[in-house]
Structure formats: C-alpha cells, structure tokens
Amino acid sequence: MKTTPTCVTVVLIAGLALATAAQAQSAKDIQSALDAAYTKYRDLQEGTNADYIPALAKVDPDLYGIALVTRDGTVYTAGDAASRVSIQSISKVFTLAKVIEEQGPDVIANTIGVDATGMRFNSIVSIEFSQKALGGPEMNSLVNPGAIATTAMLQGATRDEIWNSLLAFYSDFAGRPLSVDQDVFRSESDTNQRNQAIGYLMYAYGYIREEPLRATDIYTEQCSVAVNARDLAIMAGTLANGGTNPVTKKAVMSAGNVPEVLAVMATAGLYDDSGKWLYRTGLPGKSGVGGGVIAVSPGRFGIAVVSPPLDEAGNSVRAQKAIADISAALGGNPLAAASR
Ligand code: GLU
C-alpha cells in the first residue's frame, strides 16, 4: 500500500497522542506507587536509629521521605523529601565513582578489590583476610577499610584541594551545592577511633600510601554531607541516566564507568543483606547509617528513601520496604527485563 503525506501525518499525530497519554499515565502510576508506599509504612515502628555516632541518635525517627527521578528528569516525591540527614556510607559510591573517573576501573579491582567481604562494614578481620598471600584483594570500596583506602586515592595536592573537588563532584550528582552537617562531622570525628585504626592498618598493609589519618578525616567529612531524599534520588538518577544528571543535564561522569560502580553497589551496597536485597529487588543500591537508601534501575530511574530507624544489618527499615514496593509496582528490576 502506498502512504500519502496526509496519511503519515495522521499516523504521527495519533502516535504522539498515544505516547503523551502513556507518559501521563505513567506519571500518575509513579506518583501512586510513591504515595502507596509512603502511606503503607508511615506508621511502621521497627528498627532504631544508629547511635554509635552520637549525633545520629538525635535525628527524628519519624522523618520519612521518598523521591524518585526518571530518566527525563521528572522528580516525584512523597512525605518529607526536604529534611536533611547525613549521607554516611552512601557517599562511598560517589567517591568510588570519582576515583574510577580519575584513574580507571582497573585501579580499584587491582588494589582494593571488588568482592563482598561477607563481614561487617567496619570489620578489621576482613583486612587480615584480604592479604595478598591469602589470595586477596578481597574487599570493596563500600565497606570502611576499602572506602577509606578509596578516599586516600583521590587526586589533589592538598587536603583542601581534594575535599573541594570531592564536594563539587557530589554536588554535581545532586544538582545543587551540598554542604557538611558540622554537628555530625564533629560528633563522628570525636568517636571515629575505630576508623582511624582501620586507616592505619590499611596503611600498614600498603593499601594507603600516605597520611592515613588525613584519609580517615576526609572520609569522615564525606560521610557528614547533608542530603535529603530528593538530593539522593537525583544522585541515584544520575547513575540511572549513564552519568548525566537527569535534572541539570550535566555530564557528571562518563557513561562507560557507570556499570562498574553499579556492580559494586549490587554486590556490597546493603551491608550483610546485599544478597537478600538483590534477590528481592535486582537493584544496585547503597544504604547509610544516617537512614538513607538509594537504588538504581539502570536506564529507568533513581530512587531514594530517608528514614533513620535501621534493622540489625544497618539498613533503613522503611526505606527497604518502600523501595522494594515502588520498584515492583513500576517493573524496575533490571534482572527481570526478559521476564516481562
Ligand atoms: N561514617 C560511618 C562509619 O564509618 C558510615 C557507616 C555507614 O553508613 O555504613 O562508621
């Protein structure tokens, strides 16, 4: 059959109308999924705030915010997506991304490693088991020993230069200038002797080349950066969008380096429950003891929930449940791509 120009125009307009309808429908679906998860878990009273960093124990346990950012940069929120908590371990993802950007993915695989330790996030025994003579490196950049060593690898001539460049990198992910919660930074600096010991041990074993205390201090400051659910969702959304911030459209990291970052999140992002999380959701994620969790559905969306009470493994209770529900409702599991 021959198509006339009029016929083509009609088909195009009809297609456009359908696509717009589908988009509007999906915007409604996304907001409904967020609202449903917010309502379902708002009154849940499970878990407790982390208290080994005294400032974290004082954060309102009822704070509960959800945000999701689609690849086109639309931001959806439910609950309190504006109040800030400290980013804590979620920062480790973005420091890892920066080192990979600066030195390439092999440098991490060949020095720190990219395997789950199967031990607590601040395990000292895991360092002993990671010795080269025992077949190491068997750590990763998302647990404290590997994270402090990753921070030590950041490029820069002085502490200020390293820090300013790191904070600017985080800010580009969030799409706004981030800053440090000084109360949390002080509180954690006063009580981070275990992390200092970890830094020193990593130095003794050659994973950190110089100034282990400086590396631990920068690491502590990076954990104290204040973020809300919206910031975290945009940071996750930037990873979901191949390294380009979906809201500001700035290319923050190269698309080619994103899969390695997501891979470490998939294997080690939720402490000792990383396997359970991946089994249930298929989403690369990262949690922090401040109560935030981010997750990435590559090519689809970034999502974040902030809710301080944590379970035994150290992951926010409401965040895990809300993200799992929302992702299931939106078909976000990348491992189920061929099953839909
Ligand atoms: N700053 C925290 C620590 O090093 C981060 C822990 C976390 O969020 O897992 O203990």
Side-chain angles (χ1 to χ4, degrees), residues 207-222:
Y207 292 103
I208 294 179
R209 295 243 171 86
E210 56 181 3
E211 299 207 58
L213 282 183
R214 185 180 79 173
T216 307
D217 187 45
I218 298 175
Y219 163 81
T220 306
E221 190 162 9
Q222 77 177 48

Side-chain angles (χ1 to χ4, degrees), residues 52-53 88-89 92 121 144 188 195 219 223 271 287-290:
Y52 76 101
I53 300 168
Q88 295 298 337
S89 265
K92 294 167 177 166
F121 72 95
N144 288 14
E188 188 163 350
N195 283 340
Y219 163 81
C223 289
Y271 306 113
S287 64
V289 291

Side-chain angles (χ1 to χ4, degrees), residues 106-178:
D106 285 351
V107 75
I108 294 292
N110 295 339
T111 56
I112 294 159
V114 290
D115 276 316
T117 63
M119 294 179 212
R120 298 288 294 174
F121 72 95
N122 58 1
S123 167
I124 286 172
V125 173
S126 73
I127 305 173
E128 297 296 335
F129 277 113
S130 189
Q131 293 313 296
K132 292 209 168 53
L134 298 174
E138 297 283 343
M139 282 182 272
N140 63 76
S141 297
L142 302 185
V143 289
N144 288 14
I148 295 168
T150 304
T151 299
M153 291 164 78
L154 289 166
Q155 290 175 344
T158 62
R159 190 205 186 280
D160 276 358
E161 200 179 303
I162 296 165
W163 172 252
N164 292 335
S165 161
L166 184 63
L167 189 61
F169 191 66
Y170 288 8
S171 299
D172 282 345
F173 270 96
R176 74 171 183 89
L178 298 176

Side-chain angles (χ1 to χ4, degrees), residues 63-66 80 83 85 227-229 232 290-293 304-308 316 319:
L63 167 57
Y64 178 31
I66 306 176
D80 183 353
S83 291
V85 294
V227 285
N228 56 32
L232 288 173
V293 178
V305 174
V306 167
S307 167
S316 164

